[in-house]
Amino acid sequence: MAENKKQGKQSNIRAKSQEKILDAAQQEFILQGFKGATVQSIADRAGLPKANILYYFKNKENLYHAVLEQTLNMWDEGIGDIVIEDGPKIAIEKFIAAKVKMSFTYPSASKMHAMEVIQGAPHLKEFARTYLRQWVREKAKLFQHWVDNGEMKDIDPVSLIILIFSSTQHYADFEAQILTIMNRAEYEPEDIEQVTQFLTDIILRGCGLKK
Amino acid sequence: MAENKKQGKQSNIRAKSQEKILDAAQQEFILQGFKGATVQSIADRAGLPKANILYYFKNKENLYHAVLEQTLNMWDEGIGDIVIEDGPKIAIEKFIAAKVKMSFTYPSASKMHAMEVIQGAPHLKEFARTYLRQWVREKAKLFQHWVDNGEMKDIDPVSLIILIFSSTQHYADFEAQILTIMNRAEYEPEDIEQVTQFLTDIILRGCGLKK
DNA sequence: GAATCTATTGACCATTAGGTCAGATTGTTA
DNA sequence: TAACAATCTGACCTAATGGTCAATAGATTC
């Protein structure tokens, strides 16, 4: 609130410009890679002169980091949360539903992240790595608890989480390939429901949580 | 044979150099992307002068296509084949085993392919696209046959194939992330067996082919 | 062993891309 | 409305990169 007092039209302009730039940059980085995306191409896509981009972000490296950070925050928010009270069935359902929705709603975030990881995650700080590891361990502990409690089959929780990651993200990252296979031009809203249904069905049964 | 007659030491040199270049190029293209990989960096990695690279491959674009083609051929060979006599259980087992083995044995091929697809497959010719579609349709028809025959649950075959693609390739493409999660430096030979076992178990049960 | 391919490589060039900067323009505030 | 700050932008510079070329060395063939 106190901050908003200070924000006049200018801060608004700043925020608007930055957002426009970040969006354009994300597209270019995905399409061309870090080196392949030129400041000029980002500028063109954002409809701004090149020097303006460099005015808001000191340099290309800086801009890339900003895009990546935005992406990771989005991933973090969209992943949903599961708690011990859920039990394995609800937990898996929630988890899959959240990740599929993410994949179809913000495919660019997933693609950006995927490219970074494939290239060996050169820009992901140690912090991000440790955070992910902690996250997975924490959730794995929940599943292990349910396994020990006889609420689900004896399945390796970490492998299960990786399976859910991979099968859901794939629809974002490999969009081009899936559309090719299906001989379609783009996804339809119904696809979210269909994919969620399919994956939930197979994986729940795979975990012995459905006959 | 007749061809071999003509191959003396020179053809050997040619083959050896080209292979060395292709390997170096593949690494660089994965690490830096198409634009980011410089001919000089590829030359350095291959231990050859830059001009020598351009002697064997007219230009960078050309070299990229050569690497991509080699990659696709490898994918094609390593995917294994399933036939109607197999029945759904054996087919899924064979399919998963082949793809997991591929992912752990030639992760670079998978990564190269993944980057290309994420970026919208700009270099993949219409031919490669059509080929993939045909391949999937053909295999899907087998699964559909088994479904109609009551040999397995009523599951969408195309979604099943996509699930196997995604869950197996993930171990190659997201190697860096999985190692991070597991807090390990690199994969071990046993991992192939463990992953194959896990995925086969879940997916077979998911398809109602295992109690 | 001369003639003819094939392979190798340093020097060179044109283009492009990241980044700077100074000056113009617009917004803010008192 | 004057002074100040934030935004915008064309012109410019430098380094790096893809690609060419001509000259040299090595193989092959007859």
Side-chain angles (χ1 to χ4, degrees), chain A residues 125-158:
Chain A
K125 314 267 182 214
E126 189 53 35
F127 157 75
R129 287 185 250 247
T130 309
Y131 176 79
L132 175 68
R133 181 158 53 230
Q134 284 309 113
W135 190 93
V136 171
R137 292 224 170 138
E138 200 179 296
K139 302 311 168 193
K141 214 179 286 177
L142 292 182
F143 283 108
Q144 191 58 53
H145 171 83
W146 293 322
V147 166
D148 294 341
N149 226 25
E151 295 183 60
M152 64 183 288
K153 270 201 174 289
D154 184 8
I155 276 165
D156 176 44
V158 172

Side-chain angles (χ1 to χ4, degrees), chain A residues 165-176:
Chain A
F165 275 173
S166 64
S167 57
T168 52
Q169 285 174 193
H170 195 77
Y171 285 88
D173 304 338
F174 287 69
E175 181 181 3

Side-chain angles (χ1 to χ4, degrees), chain B:
Chain B
M1 295 299 168
E3 281 165 357
N4 273 335
K5 270 265 180 72
K6 283 185 182 176
Q7 290 181 349
K9 202 178 272 181
Q10 292 227 326
S11 297
N12 213 0
I13 286 176
R14 176 166 276 263
K16 281 227 155 99
S17 285
Q18 285 187 332
E19 199 190 317
K20 228 192 309 183
I21 294 169
L22 286 172
D23 282 356
Q26 188 182 53
Q27 293 308 312
E28 287 299 316
F29 283 137
I30 290 171
L31 252 31
Q32 311 287 347
F34 174 73
K35 198 69 180 296
T38 67
V39 178
Q40 186 63 59
S41 70
I42 293 169
D44 290 346
R45 187 179 284 267
L48 296 170
K50 187 177 78 161
N52 203 352
I53 308 289
L54 279 318
Y55 168 70
Y56 281 108
F57 299 88
K58 305 281 163 270
N59 53 42
K60 198 166 100 167
E61 184 86 21
N62 202 296
L63 174 54
Y64 183 82
H65 276 114
V67 172
L68 198 57
E69 190 171 344
Q70 188 194 237
T71 295
L72 293 183
N73 286 340
M74 188 168 279
W75 184 86
D76 196 33
E77 285 170 24
I79 202 164
D81 203 17
I82 55 181
V83 289
I84 201 158
E85 289 79 24
D86 288 332
K89 187 155 179 289
I90 303 279
I92 289 174
E93 283 169 355
K94 275 169 76 173
F95 193 10
I96 291 176
K99 285 235 70 183
V100 171
K101 190 173 174 193
M102 265 289 286
S103 285
F104 281 89
T105 314
Y106 305 107
S108 293
S110 189
K111 285 177 187 167
M112 182 90 191
H113 177 247
M115 297 250 310
E116 178 67 20
V117 174
I118 291 173
Q119 297 191 345
H123 297 94
L124 287 181
K125 314 268 177 186
E126 190 52 35
F127 156 76
R129 287 186 249 247
T130 310
Y131 176 80
L132 175 68
R133 181 158 54 230
Q134 284 310 114
W135 189 93
V136 171
R137 293 224 170 135
E138 200 180 295
K139 302 311 167 195
K141 213 178 288 178
L142 292 182
F143 284 108
Q144 191 58 53
H145 170 82
W146 293 321
V147 167
D148 294 341
N149 226 26
E151 295 182 60
M152 63 184 287
K153 272 201 173 287
D154 185 10
I155 276 166
D156 176 43
V158 172
S159 296
L160 174 61
I161 291 170
I162 291 174
L163 171 61
I164 295 176
F165 275 174
S166 63
S167 56
T168 53
Q169 286 175 191
H170 195 76
Y171 286 88
D173 303 340
F174 287 68
E175 181 180 3
Q177 189 173 81
I178 291 177
L179 289 173
T180 289
I181 290 175
M182 295 179 162
N183 200 17
R184 297 226 318 248
E186 51 186 27
Y187 287 138
E188 311 266 358
E190 307 89 88
D191 293 330
I192 301 186
E193 177 59 24
Q194 196 269 321
V195 169
T196 305
Q197 194 56 55
F198 173 83
L199 291 177
T200 306
D201 188 58
I202 296 268
I203 294 176
L204 276 186
R205 194 176 305 108
C207 292
L209 292 166
K210 196 173 188 177
K211 70 210 148 346

